Amino acid sequence: MKITYSILALLFIAILWTWTQMPEISTNRELVTELPWIIQTDEQGGSEVFGLAIEDATVRQAQQRFNDEAVFGIFLDKDGTRSLEAFFNHTYIAGLQARITLTLKTSDEQLNLFAEQAIDKKAQPSNSYKLVLPSELHETLFDHRFSSITYQPKIKIEHEVLIARFGKPGITTQPDAETLEWHYPDKGLMITLVTDQKPVFHYVRPDQYNRYFSIRNSGTATDSSQPGSDTATGQQEHQKESDIAKD
């Protein structure tokens, strides 16, 4: 038993070293593309993370990349919005077990068709629902492209470690007393930080950032890239992310 604990301790130290000390070795593409802080952007406003080009790669390619079986469902928010998603619940990124969610590109007509074929409806902590889709539909969905990636490692990561790897956020918003949102518009990244919960990372194309993470009229938003700048107001929907973080 002591040997088992020693092995686990050494493994944890090795993973922590990956996040805090490991240099970014550009000659090893497989290693580099696995790291969540390596985000490649282009002049057309696109981005690539985990070796997947957002809005160009398919769910099938993501499944091969994450070495995990995709589970599909439709997320029904309490405000009436819907999204078709693919979930990878048991994958490993940079040595850490993680959950990955892809938001698929689809039309309202397709969403209606898929919703009619749902086999289960599961309530979520934020008073929203997830429709579980039958396995018969999966083959149809594997070739869909996705517009965003949500990544959640299943351990807590200190803010200092995040800043060391991702840099200071350009903008910080605070929708409520327990939630911080770090915005990196030029990278197409937002990090949601909820008190005593695990961080949640959201990746989109940089040219689509304002569409997904618009700054609105409540909560506090500070431009971190300009010390001493005026404080503005902002809001970001985060109920869905809280559902993910609490699992």
Side-chain angles (χ1 to χ4, degrees), residues 3-230:
I3 295 176
T4 300
Y5 286 144
S6 297
I7 293 174
L8 291 175
L10 289 173
L11 179 61
F12 179 79
I13 291 172
I15 292 171
L16 185 61
W17 178 80
T18 299
W19 273 82
T20 59
Q21 302 295 330
M22 188 180 69
E24 296 170 2
I25 307 172
S26 60
T27 56
N28 188 335
R29 177 171 174 79
E30 183 177 354
L31 174 62
V32 168
T33 56
E34 184 174 333
L35 303 176
W37 56 86
I38 302 298
I39 304 170
Q40 299 177 329
T41 59
D42 57 44
E43 295 180 354
Q44 289 71 47
S47 63
E48 180 177 311
V49 65
F50 306 129
L52 299 168
I54 298 176
E55 295 200 11
D56 287 329
T58 65
V59 176
R60 192 182 306 276
Q61 291 172 311
Q63 179 166 273
Q64 294 172 347
R65 181 69 186 83
F66 299 135
N67 194 29
D68 189 19
E69 184 175 355
V71 177
F72 296 93
I74 296 176
F75 193 94
L76 306 175
D77 204 347
K78 60 184 179 181
D79 65 1
T81 59
R82 304 175 300 173
S83 58
L84 176 60
E85 301 179 347
F87 306 88
F88 299 92
N89 293 317
H90 305 289
T91 191
Y92 285 83
I93 301 293
L96 298 180
Q97 187 175 6
R99 169 183 288 179
I100 299 285
T101 303
L102 308 179
T103 301
L104 277 58
K105 300 182 69 173
T106 187
S107 65
D108 287 339
E109 183 179 357
Q110 287 176 314
L111 274 176
N112 291 334
L113 178 62
F114 296 145
E116 291 173 358
Q117 301 178 64
I119 58 176
D120 196 8
K121 184 177 183 179
K122 295 184 177 181
Q124 305 295 297
S126 60
N127 298 321
S128 53
Y129 293 91
K130 182 175 72 176
L131 300 181
V132 180
L133 301 179
S135 57
E136 293 78 9
L137 282 178
H138 289 191
E139 189 60 33
T140 301
L141 299 174
F142 277 128
D143 292 323
H144 277 245
R145 291 178 170 81
F146 50 88
S147 56
S148 69
I149 300 175
T150 299
Y151 157 65
Q152 183 205 343
K154 294 189 177 182
I155 66 166
K156 295 178 183 177
I157 302 172
E158 297 297 327
H159 291 193
E160 293 79 6
V161 175
L162 295 175
I163 290 176
R165 280 307 181 190
F166 294 90
K168 292 183 179 180
I171 296 173
T172 298
T173 56
Q174 187 169 3
D176 56 53
E178 295 188 348
T179 304
L180 285 175
E181 295 167 336
W182 290 0
H183 298 264
Y184 302 80
D186 59 329
K187 298 179 180 179
L189 169 68
M190 184 185 77
I191 304 176
T192 301
L193 302 166
V194 181
T195 303
D196 295 327
Q197 295 183 17
K198 308 172 186 80
V200 182
F201 302 77
H202 316 270
Y203 302 88
V204 299
R205 285 175 56 101
D207 63 0
Q208 296 296 311
Y209 194 87
N210 290 336
R211 173 186 171 193
Y212 285 91
F213 307 124
S214 59
I215 307 301
R216 302 184 214 174
N217 284 331
S218 69
T220 302
T222 304
D223 186 347
S224 303
S225 64
Q226 299 179 17
S229 64
D230 292 337

